[in-house]
Amino acid sequence: MAPTFYHHWPEPVTEKSGSMVQSQWWGWRGLKIGLIMVVLVLFVALIFFAVRANSKACKEGLLAEQECRNVTRLLELQLAQTREDLVGAMDEAATCNQTVVNLSTSLEMEKAQGLEQLTRREELQREVEKLKEKLQDALEEVERLRKEKEAWSKEGETSLGSSSKSLGALMAPVCLFLGLTALLA
């Protein structure tokens, strides 16, 4: 079955009843009064907030807020400067650390050279001691030969000639030895 649509046309109102006109009048009038009340409340609230916004406490609060912003900006600038200084100090510390490492390396090398020189000096001192002993032995030999020469010279001219020849033969190596030790010292 097909649906059936019913449509009713409104009936024109030719005559308005008194109660209907009166209720519409009160409706508009109530709406106007309500709007006026809302406008008055908003106006009073606006005056209240305007007075409060221009009050001394509000102005002091705004000044305090502005001062706080200025202090904050100043502190941010100081923080940025401090960070830059910190980076500079860290760079200097890195440079100092590198210098310490370089100096430590140089010091170790100097110590090694010092030990090497000390060892060489000790070796040279031992050689000097050996040479002194040899010199002492040579001097003792010369002294012994001189005494023999004196003893021979008392014995006679003939024995003197032969000892002076042997003494002359020994004097050359002794003088060479003494010259070498003088050069080494």
Side-chain angles (χ1 to χ4, degrees), residues 49-63:
F49 287 121
V51 168
R52 196 151 189 224
N54 289 327
S55 70
K56 183 178 179 181
C58 187
K59 287 181 181 179
E60 287 175 358
L62 288 173
L63 287 175

Side-chain angles (χ1 to χ4, degrees), residues 2 13 41 63 86 103 141:
V13 179
V41 167
L63 287 175
L86 178 63
L103 288 176
E141 181 68 24

